[in-house]
Amino acid sequence: MTFNPLQERGIPLDKQLRNWRELNVTPIDPDHSDPYTRCRIIAMNGIEVEAILFSHQFNRHCPDPAVKQQLARVRYIEAQQQKAVNWLLPGLASVLETTIAYEQVAVDLTAWVARMEPDPYLK
């Protein structure tokens, strides 16, 4: 079963607001979870952070106040989602463990991009 975001209906922004109880997610247990679960969480957190940064930059260059107001609502929801994703990582990891996990994500993503690159010269 595959997920095609262009075929799925979106959830209205008003229904995406979370209270503190919903934001308080249970972190993963690194001893009893799939080894790539941490990598997936780190990658998703990076995507969420980049979306928020892009929205801030877009807001700075947008002259329309109505669009800026809608962007602010979207950013608020995205910030909540980013917090929920980021809080899935346990706070018990040392700086070295966190660094190794981020490096693993970087290496795996680079390898995936190289495998998917159709141009042999760029590959």
Side-chain angles (χ1 to χ4, degrees), residues 8 11 18 23 27-28 33 48 53 56 61 63 65 69-70 73 77 83 94-95 98 103 106 116:
E8 300 296 324
I11 300 171
R18 301 173 188 210
L23 283 175
I28 63 166
S33 61
E48 294 293 340
L53 292 176
H56 275 292
H61 298 289
Q69 185 178 17
Q70 188 66 14
R73 292 182 67 217
I77 301 296
K83 284 182 182 76
S94 69
V95 175
T98 303
E103 288 298 321
M116 297 299 142

Side-chain angles (χ1 to χ4, degrees), residues 1-15:
M1 183 169 135
T2 60
F3 172 74
N4 184 349
L6 300 176
Q7 293 178 347
E8 300 296 324
R9 296 188 63 175
I11 300 171
L13 285 180
D14 297 337
K15 297 200 182 231

Side-chain angles (χ1 to χ4, degrees), residues 25-33 37-39 41-42 84-95 97-98 101-102:
V25 295
T26 305
I28 63 166
D29 182 2
D31 297 330
H32 297 100
S33 61
T37 300
R38 176 177 281 195
C39 289
I41 293 170
I42 291 171
V85 169
N86 190 38
W87 292 348
L88 287 172
L89 293 175
L92 305 172
S94 69
V95 175
E97 287 174 319
T98 303
Y102 273 78

Side-chain angles (χ1 to χ4, degrees), residues 72-114:
R73 292 182 67 217
V74 170
R75 262 199 324 275
Y76 183 73
I77 301 296
E78 286 178 342
Q80 284 189 334
Q81 186 166 322
Q82 186 269 330
K83 284 182 182 76
V85 169
N86 190 38
W87 292 348
L88 287 172
L89 293 175
L92 305 172
S94 69
V95 175
L96 181 60
E97 287 174 319
T98 303
T99 303
I100 290 170
Y102 273 78
E103 288 298 321
Q104 182 180 6
V105 170
V107 168
D108 288 348
L109 283 177
T110 304
W112 181 84
V113 169

